[in-house]
Amino acid sequence: MSVAAWLPDDPADRRSWEAALERLIQENRFTIAVVFPAVGALSLIASAEGWLPDPLAFNPLFVLTGVLVMRSPLVVGVLPVVDRRAALGVAALAAYSYAIEIVGVTTGWPYGFFEYGVSLGPMLGGVPVALPVFFLPLVANAYLLCLLLLGPLADRAVPRLLSVIALVLAMDVVLDPGAVALGFWRYEGGGLFYGVPLSNYAGWVLSATVAVVVLDAAFDRTALGARLEACEFALDDMVSFVLLWGGVNAIYGNWIPAVVAAGIGAGLLRTDRFDAGMVPWLGDAERR
């Protein structure tokens, strides 16, 4: 069943439902985008270092709940422009994420041979059932941030494609070394870059290209751009990504990934979305 099938048929009902979700996210931006990733980073490090008892260490329910909360600004942010075509595109990317991951764990192509070291919930064909929750936001956030930063250039296919590929690669430069340090997964024979083989990044060039093509076909880019301009919290999930994985890499001394995370954070600051209004008590003081 597609995402669109869950949405109210009456446009007024749907808008009312979306507005309620927007208020919920807006009122809890700091908690979602800052507190959750900070607590998440600390709990993941404590789990990896054996500081938490077994029932709590890398508890898949806790991990997935935290991830879903951090993803909520992205989902609610784009929801008003999700129609049937967009929902089918998201479903196609979810199917792609399963297919390419199953091929990867079976053959080592295109990411290199790897295996999961931590349970991320129920498995399907050797990969987590929740895989799209991890894969889709990574490529979607990169796509959205590039639309904002490129401005008029976003209307041109080549700059859009190249910028999204570059940003997805940068995000994986942050994600994979941090995940390897925590023991989420490991690559056979290790790798030259903080335990990650260079072939992994070639694989992400493929996945980023597929993502751009599908998202371009699925979404009305004009409507998506207008929604991004109007919704100040749409990229808060990217803030969570920078804080969580940048923090993990810094703690483990993975300085190149930590610096790359800081660079992504600088790109986010250029969107002018994150000011005192994001912090409740500062925002109240500013209004007074």
Side-chain angles (χ1 to χ4, degrees), residues 51-86:
W51 300 336
L52 290 179
D54 286 341
L56 298 177
F58 291 126
N59 184 291
L61 178 60
F62 293 166
V63 171
L64 290 175
T65 298
V67 169
L68 288 172
V69 170
M70 289 186 287
R71 299 295 185 253
S72 59
L74 171 66
V75 175
V76 175
V78 301
L79 199 56
V81 295
V82 173
D83 55 15
R84 188 172 300 277
R85 185 179 68 177

Side-chain angles (χ1 to χ4, degrees), residues 9 100 150 214 267:
D9 292 329
I100 199 71
L150 286 174
V214 173

Side-chain angles (χ1 to χ4, degrees), residues 68-262:
L68 288 172
V69 170
M70 289 186 287
R71 299 295 185 253
S72 59
L74 171 66
V75 175
V76 175
V78 301
L79 199 56
V81 295
V82 173
D83 55 15
R84 188 172 300 277
R85 185 179 68 177
L88 288 174
V90 171
L93 277 180
Y96 169 82
S97 70
Y98 284 126
I100 199 71
E101 197 83 352
I102 290 172
V103 171
V105 298
T106 304
T107 69
W109 184 90
Y111 302 118
F113 282 104
F114 68 97
E115 61 180 1
Y116 288 93
V118 170
S119 172
L120 294 175
M123 304 291 281
L124 174 67
V127 302
V129 171
L131 180 66
V133 174
F134 300 98
F135 172 81
L136 291 176
L138 190 148
V139 295
N141 277 319
Y143 186 81
L144 296 181
L145 181 56
C146 286
L147 290 186
L148 276 180
L149 293 179
L150 286 174
L153 272 178
D155 293 330
R156 297 171 57 181
V158 172
R160 188 170 64 250
L161 173 64
L162 294 179
S163 63
V164 174
I165 290 174
L167 184 52
V168 168
L169 285 176
M171 293 176 72
D172 196 58
V173 162
V174 176
L175 173 62
D176 254 306
V180 168
L182 291 170
F184 267 109
W185 50 78
R186 63 182 66 89
Y187 291 90
E188 186 178 293
L192 295 175
F193 187 73
Y194 298 101
V196 182
L198 298 182
S199 61
N200 173 71
Y201 298 104
W204 276 101
V205 170
L206 170 63
S207 291
T209 302
V210 170
V212 176
V213 171
V214 173
L215 292 172
D216 273 351
F219 283 88
D220 179 334
R221 201 165 57 256
T222 300
L224 187 58
R227 174 59 181 167
L228 283 174
E229 291 291 345
C231 182
E232 61 183 9
F233 60 74
L235 285 170
D236 281 7
D237 183 36
M238 187 76 109
V239 177
S240 299
F241 175 89
V242 168
L243 293 176
L244 195 159
W245 292 108
V248 167
N249 279 297
I251 290 294
Y252 282 102
N254 297 344
W255 296 116
I256 294 176
V259 169
V260 173

